[in-house]
Structure formats: structure tokens, C-alpha cells
């Protein structure tokens, strides 16, 4: 049963993720208004207790908090700009994917139109929205986050990153860099081991332990980066570079693509040429920080 004492909320955009967001709000007892260009996407939500707004203006006016999850930032501004609704006094939480510059620009646009604005990133897939496994990153004024925190916690584990509206988008793409790097490294190893008849499932068990072990190095490496000092406490970069050569040679001998390990070696060689061969691996931050 809907708890009418819970704060009302509006969800604009009813793709797979938008529908998951609206469902989580409904399950938490929030009176939920929804809007989508294709009204048919609201059918199941209406059956579950949501109210389908006849227009985007009506949707915005139904709640003090509106959560947006649409195609891109341009769509956000087109939808809101075309609306006859008054944005003054409304808090917008934009969970649309984009980059940090777009987030900051949209925040300025929203504020010029009288709205409060939080930008966000969803670090989860639709099926886990509404559980603690769903991480929702938010950035913007802390006071706006505090005002709506209880409502937003219906979506999962919410974290406020800071006042800079671009931070959530930056964390999002940084997370993608981590995700694709881990997956590509696993695929490299899987391709190599398949030549010896080892299946992916068998290697995955080993690779998972390896990835967890590497993750344990991150806090110590982060301390070195933040200090700007990289003593070779475990191994020097020149030692790692020699191991990279072995990886390249083994890949080529097996007939496996060696582009990824060659990229590792190219960056390490540049750092060594710059005089950092005796320092520890995190010194490569200098290479990653260059355009």
C-alpha cells in the first residue's frame, strides 16, 4: 500500500532504467508520477500505483523532486525547455549519462531557470535498483542532497561526492575505464590460455582472485600518487617492463593479439626514458595525466 506520508516524486523517462527507478519509488511508498514520450511505457507502472501525467509540464508540477533518466543531456534540456511548467522551486535530479562538462552546463541552465539541480550517475543495472547493491552517485549542493536524501535512498546506496556538479559524471567514466581495463585484461589472458585448452570458466576463477589481489594494492598506490613520491617498495617499473616484454612475446608466439600488452609497454618505456625506471608502477600516473 502506498504510504501517503512519503514525499512525492516524478520520474521522467521510462526506458528500462527509468521504469526501474519509478518501481523502486513506488515500492518504498512514494507517490510517483511518471511521464514518457511514449505513454504506453507507463502502463505497468500505472497498474502498480503510479500516476501517468498527461504532459511533461504536469509531471514537473506534480512533485517537488523530479528524477530524469533520458537519452542524453540534450534531450533533458529540450524536454524541459519545451515545457510550459514553471521550474522555479523544483529540484531536478538528472541521472542521464553524459560527461562532466555537460553536467556543469546543464546545472547552470537549470539554475538560470530557477530550479535546484543535482547531477548523478547510476552504477548499477536495472534489476538491482531499489537494493543496497545499486550505487547512485550524486553531485551538487549538499543542502539539496540532504533535503531529498531519504527519498533518493529508495533507489539504493546514495553517495554525495561534492558540490561540483561534474563529479558524478567523472566518477562514472572513471569507473568505466576501470571496468573495461579489467575485462580486456581478462580477455587477453583467456585468449592465451585457450591455446592450451584451458576454458574461460576455469581461468575466470583464478583471474577473480588475481583481480582482488591487485585491488588490495590500490590504497597504498594511491598514497604514493597523492604524495608524488614513488619508492620501489615492491618492484621497480623497469622490472615490470621486462615482464611486459614476456607477455608480448608469449602472446605473439601463441598467435594472440598483442596490442594491449604493447600499449602497456609503450607507456612504461616512455616513463623509463623520462628517468622513472627505478620507481614503482604508480609513477605511470604522469603518463596518464598527459593529453
Amino acid at each position: 500500500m502506498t504510504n501517503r506520508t512519503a514525499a512525492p516524486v516524478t520520474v521522467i523517462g521510462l526506458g528500462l532504467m527509468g521504469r526501474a527507478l519509478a518501481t523502486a519509488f513506488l515500492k518504498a511508498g512514494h507517490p510517483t508520477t511518471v511521464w514518457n514520450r511514449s505513454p504506453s511505457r507507463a502502463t505497468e507502472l500505472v497498474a502498480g500505483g503510479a500516476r501517468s501525467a498527461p504532459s511533461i509540464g504536469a509531471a514537473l508540477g506534480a512533485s517537488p523532486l523530479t528524477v530524469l533518466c533520458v537519452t542524453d543531456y540534450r534531450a533533458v534540456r529540450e524536454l524541459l525547455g519545451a515545457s510550459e511548467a514553471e521550474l522555479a522551486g523544483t529540484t531536478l535530479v538528472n541521472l542521464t549519462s553524459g560527461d562532466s562538462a555537460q553536467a556543469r552546463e546543464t546545472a547552470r541552465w537549470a539554475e538560470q531557470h530557477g530550479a535546484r539541480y543535482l547531477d548523478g550517475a547510476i552504477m548499477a543495472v536495472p534489476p538491482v535498483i531499489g537494493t543496497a547493491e545499486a550505487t547512485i552517485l550524486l553531485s551538487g549542493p549538499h543542502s539539496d542532497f540532504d533535503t531529498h536524501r531519504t527519498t533518493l535512498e529508495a533507489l539504493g546506496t546514495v553517495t554525495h561526492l561534492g558540490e561540483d556538479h561534474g563529479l558524478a559524471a567523472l566518477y562514472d567514466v572513471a569507473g568505466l575505464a576501470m571496468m573495461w581495463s579489467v575485462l580486456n585484461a581478462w580477455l587477453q589472458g583467456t585468449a592465451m590460455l585457450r591455446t592450451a585448452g584451458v576454458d574461460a570458466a576455469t581461468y575466470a576463477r583464478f583471474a577473480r582472485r588475481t583481480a582482488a589481489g591487485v585491488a588490495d594494492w590500490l590504497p597504498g598506490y594511491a598514497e604514493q600518487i597523492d604524495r608524488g613520491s614513488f619508492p620501489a617498495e615492491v618492484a621497480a617499473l623497469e622490472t615490470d617492463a621486462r615482464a611486459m616484454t614476456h607477455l608480448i612475446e608469449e602472446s605473439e608466439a601463441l598467435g594472440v593479439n598483442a596490442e594491449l600488452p604493447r600499449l602497456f609497454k609503450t607507456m612504461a618505456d616512455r616513463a623509463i626514458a623520462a628517468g622513472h625506471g627505478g620507481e614503482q608502477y604508480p609513477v605511470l600516473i604522469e603518463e596518464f595525466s598527459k593529453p
Side-chain angles (χ1 to χ4, degrees):
M1 180 179 290
T2 300
N3 177 6
R4 292 297 168 182
T5 65
V9 63
T10 289
V11 176
I12 291 176
L14 300 177
L16 286 174
M17 185 60 78
R19 293 198 298 274
L21 298 174
T23 298
F25 283 128
L26 286 169
K27 287 183 177 179
H30 294 277
T32 303
T33 299
V34 296
W35 183 88
N36 192 76
R37 276 197 174 107
S38 301
S40 60
R41 289 190 174 182
T43 301
E44 188 174 336
L45 292 166
V46 170
R51 172 179 174 267
S52 180
S55 68
I56 190 169
L60 288 163
S63 314
L65 176 68
T66 292
V67 175
L68 299 113
C69 187
V70 295
T71 307
D72 53 31
Y73 281 78
R74 176 180 294 181
V76 169
R77 293 173 62 174
E78 286 178 351
L79 287 170
L80 298 181
S83 168
E84 297 178 359
E86 177 61 54
L87 291 178
T90 288
T91 297
L92 304 174
V93 176
N94 187 15
L95 299 180
T96 299
S97 295
D99 62 42
S100 58
Q102 292 172 321
R104 295 183 185 110
E105 183 182 4
T106 304
R108 288 191 294 270
W109 181 91
E111 289 166 358
Q112 288 167 1
H113 287 76
R116 311 294 297 175
Y117 183 86
L118 291 169
D119 202 85
I122 303 170
M123 312 298 283
V125 292
V128 302
I129 295 296
T131 74
E133 293 179 45
T135 296
I136 312 295
L137 305 179
L138 295 163
S139 52
H142 205 294
S143 58
D144 295 334
F145 173 75
D146 284 342
T147 297
H148 298 287
R149 179 172 187 163
T150 300
T151 301
L152 294 169
E153 284 178 339
L155 302 179
T157 301
V158 296
T159 301
H160 183 257
L161 300 171
E163 300 274 328
D164 176 0
H165 285 98
L167 281 174
L170 271 176
Y171 268 75
D172 187 23
V173 294
L176 292 175
M178 188 82 178
M179 177 186 75
W180 285 324
S181 295
V182 171
L183 288 175
N184 286 339
W186 174 68
L187 290 169
Q188 177 80 33
T190 299
M192 295 172 71
L193 284 163
R194 286 176 70 188
T195 66
V198 178
D199 61 29
T202 298
Y203 178 51
R205 291 191 292 272
F206 173 84
R208 187 175 182 181
R209 292 194 300 271
T210 301
V214 172
D216 287 341
W217 302 347
L218 299 184
Y221 280 10
E223 289 179 7
Q224 289 195 341
I225 291 171
D226 292 340
R227 288 197 312 264
S229 175
F230 308 95
E233 299 167 347
V234 177
L237 181 60
E238 58 192 7
T239 301
D240 287 317
R242 287 194 291 273
M244 291 173 189
T245 298
H246 300 327
L247 173 57
I248 293 167
E249 291 174 348
E250 181 73 33
S251 296
E252 291 174 339
L254 296 172
V256 169
N257 189 305
E259 290 176 271
L260 186 62
R262 283 198 203 101
L263 174 61
F264 301 159
K265 183 71 162 49
T266 297
M267 297 188 78
D269 286 345
R270 285 203 299 262
I272 291 168
H276 300 296
E279 296 175 271
Q280 195 156 265
Y281 199 83
V283 74
L284 279 178
I285 189 65
E286 305 300 335
E287 293 300 316
F288 280 98
S289 297
K290 296 175 182 176

